[in-house]
Amino acid sequence: MNNFLQKLYKIEEYAAASLLSAATLLIFVSAVTRTFDLPLNWALDLTLFLFAWSVFLGADVAMRRNNLVNVDLLVARLPVPVQRACAVVSYILILVFLGALTGYGFWLSYASRARAFQGIPWFSYTWVALSVPVGSILMIITTIRQFRAYLKEARPPAAEDGEVL
C-alpha cells in the first residue's frame, strides 16, 4: 500500500504542477491572440478546469509536505498536553470539513452534469466540480496518515523530503 501511495503522490505532484503550468501558458497565449483580434473563446473555460484541478491537487501536496500556513502564536504558549488536545481537535475538524466538502462536491458534480461551458459546449462543468471531492478525498487520506503519525510520535510528521518547516 505504501508503494502505491508513493506512486500516487508522484503522479499527483506532476499533475498539479503540469496543470498549473498549462493554465498559465493558456492564459498567456489567449492574451497574445486577443491582442491580434484572434480571441480564443474557449481558453478561459479550459483554464478554469485546469486551475481547479491544480488547486485541489496542489492543496494535498502542500498538506502532505506541511507547507500550509500555520499560526500557532497562542497554542505554542499553552502547556504541552493542551497543545496536544488542540492538535487532536484540529485534525478532527479538518476531517469533518473535508468529509463535508467531499459530500457536497459529489452533489455539485451531479447537479452540474447538464451545465456546459459557453466556449466548449460539449464539455460538462461536472469535470471541474469533480476536482473538489477528488482533492478532498486525497486530503482526507493525507490527514488520516498525519493524524496517525501524530498520535504515534506525539509531534507533527516532518515534511516528506526530510526538511522540517
Side-chain angles (χ1 to χ4, degrees), residues 59-73:
D60 184 45
V61 171
M63 180 181 273
R64 193 171 51 253
R65 292 182 177 181
N66 292 324
N67 284 342
L68 295 176
V69 174
N70 182 13
V71 180
D72 64 350
L73 182 67

Side-chain angles (χ1 to χ4, degrees), residues 5-140:
L5 284 177
Q6 293 304 322
K7 289 180 182 179
L8 177 67
Y9 292 160
K10 281 292 180 197
I11 292 170
E12 182 182 26
E13 288 175 25
Y14 287 122
S18 299
L19 292 169
L20 185 59
S21 298
T24 304
L25 180 65
L26 186 56
I27 286 294
F28 175 74
V29 169
S30 176
V32 170
T33 58
R34 195 175 317 118
T35 302
F36 297 111
D37 289 330
L38 300 168
L40 302 175
N41 296 331
W42 49 269
L44 186 60
D45 297 335
L46 186 57
T47 300
L48 175 66
F49 167 78
L50 296 170
F51 187 70
W53 278 94
S54 69
V55 164
F56 280 96
L57 294 178
D60 184 45
V61 171
M63 180 181 273
R64 193 171 51 253
R65 292 182 177 181
N66 292 324
N67 284 342
L68 295 176
V69 174
N70 182 13
V71 180
D72 64 350
L73 182 67
L74 175 65
V75 176
R77 295 177 185 204
L78 297 173
V80 173
V82 177
Q83 288 180 15
R84 203 161 152 70
C86 287
V88 168
V89 168
S90 177
Y91 278 119
I92 291 169
L93 288 174
I94 289 169
L95 287 170
V96 168
F97 174 74
L98 290 172
L101 207 56
T102 301
Y104 285 118
F106 278 124
W107 176 83
L108 177 64
S109 299
Y110 179 76
S112 64
R113 69 191 183 282
R115 179 181 172 191
F117 285 100
Q118 186 175 3
I120 315 171
W122 51 267
F123 193 63
S124 174
Y125 193 78
T126 294
W127 296 107
V128 173
L130 274 174
S131 66
V132 176
V134 171
S136 297
I137 288 170
L138 291 169
M139 285 186 271
I140 286 171

